[in-house]
Amino acid sequence: MQQQTKNLPKDLIYVITVDTEKRIVMLAFRGCVTKADWNHSFDAKWKKVRNPIPESSSFSSSATSSSRRNSINNGDVYKRPQTIKVHRGFHRYLFRRRKDTGTCKYDEICTKLHEYSTAMGGDCLIHATGHSLGGALATLFGFYASTDERFTKNGPIRVINFGSPYVGGHAFAASFRHQERSSKVQLARIHNARDAVTHLPFNMTLSKVRYPIVVDNQSECSHNYFFYAACCYIHGNTHF
């Protein structure tokens, strides 16, 4: 298995697996391997992008960044911003257009997910996971995919990330939480309390995650709990 992993192409950043019994299509992103991966991870400047959540959601054009931050902290009604700020490197990884086909990885992944879901009868759930860079990509993918009815008609997209850095700013966090409250996406953010990567970049945040799972040490018990918590979450048991 180790030799097979070494022989995999380095541009293979995700895999998709299908569980026909549990009716789950799982998308998994890998962490940093290549120099390009690290360049994307360290490209932590803001990128302002259009909010993919439909216009029909609550929106106030006069809402300031301060009021949006207060809305996050107080759990007030969501005021849909027209734009959100995200980590530029992570966004570029998913949405940069290929010169040969004109498509991006996000489009390619969505096509495959829909293809596998349709082959299973269209009644399956979509899960996304990853570690470090992969966790960030899973989070960003889950947010965008949560606005696509093809992937949410049978239930929310479940995102389980491990040791993930932050992905976006306050408006992104508020928008993500709105999608959670709308039962479009669920996020379990699993990390070790001493993992510095999970607190980076300092200029970004994803506050008040609905299912934060923080482990205080790096004992064998802690690692087992990571996987126990993830398995409970995948199977719908959030009372672990």
Side-chain angles (χ1 to χ4, degrees):
M1 177 62 71
Q2 188 175 26
Q3 185 62 37
Q4 291 176 348
T5 301
K6 289 182 179 179
N7 292 333
L8 289 174
K10 291 183 177 180
D11 60 349
L12 177 64
I13 68 165
Y14 68 91
V15 294
I16 299 174
T17 65
V18 175
D19 188 329
T20 55
E21 291 186 4
K22 296 183 174 64
R23 317 299 293 172
I24 294 173
V25 179
M26 171 73 80
L27 167 67
F29 291 94
R30 65 160 171 76
C32 288
V33 174
T34 67
K35 181 180 179 181
D37 295 338
W38 290 106
N39 288 339
H40 281 89
S41 295
F42 287 124
D43 183 11
K45 292 184 178 179
W46 290 116
K47 181 176 179 63
K48 184 182 290 187
V49 298
R50 182 183 63 82
N51 190 345
I53 296 177
E55 291 281 354
S56 57
S57 296
S58 175
F59 171 65
S60 173
S61 60
S62 61
T64 63
S65 45
S66 176
S67 65
R68 289 170 185 163
R69 187 177 301 112
N70 291 334
S71 178
I72 296 171
N73 295 332
N74 298 328
D76 296 334
V77 175
Y78 174 64
K79 299 178 177 63
R80 180 192 179 277
Q82 291 181 315
T83 60
I84 55 176
K85 290 181 180 180
V86 296
H87 185 292
R88 186 171 68 180
F90 299 153
H91 186 274
R92 185 156 52 98
Y93 224 132
L94 284 180
F95 292 97
R96 180 180 54 187
R97 295 286 172 182
R98 292 170 57 104
K99 293 182 180 180
D100 52 350
T101 64
T103 61
C104 62
K105 284 188 176 69
Y106 177 80
D107 293 334
E108 295 168 1
I109 294 170
C110 285
T111 298
K112 286 295 182 183
L113 287 178
H114 183 59
E115 176 184 325
Y116 295 144
S117 176
T118 301
M120 291 172 62
D123 61 343
C124 56
L125 297 172
I126 305 298
H127 291 185
T129 188
H131 170 258
S132 193
L133 166 66
L137 295 178
T139 302
L140 193 59
F141 178 88
F143 172 65
Y144 274 87
S146 73
T147 66
D148 191 330
E149 180 64 24
R150 294 178 300 173
F151 305 128
T152 60
K153 62 182 180 180
N154 299 312
I157 297 173
R158 286 186 170 173
V159 179
I160 311 99
N161 68 41
F162 297 87
S164 171
Y166 293 136
V167 174
H170 292 285
F172 171 82
S175 299
F176 198 104
R177 288 178 58 240
H178 170 74
Q179 291 299 89
E180 283 194 308
R181 289 195 296 266
S182 302
S183 298
K184 299 294 185 181
V185 66
Q186 291 179 338
L187 169 64
R189 188 168 188 260
I190 304 171
H191 65 92
N192 191 287
R194 297 177 178 84
D195 187 351
V197 171
T198 62
H199 303 287
L200 298 174
F202 292 123
N203 60 332
M204 299 186 185
T205 185
L206 183 56
S207 58
K208 290 191 176 179
V209 173
R210 189 172 181 183
Y211 301 114
I213 303 167
V214 183
V215 177
D216 290 332
N217 57 62
Q218 299 186 23
S219 67
E220 182 180 352
C221 177
S222 298
H223 288 99
N224 290 338
Y225 183 75
F226 275 3
F227 292 102
Y228 168 72
C231 288
C232 287
Y233 180 76
I234 288 172
H235 295 295
N237 177 16
T238 58
H239 302 289
F240 35 81

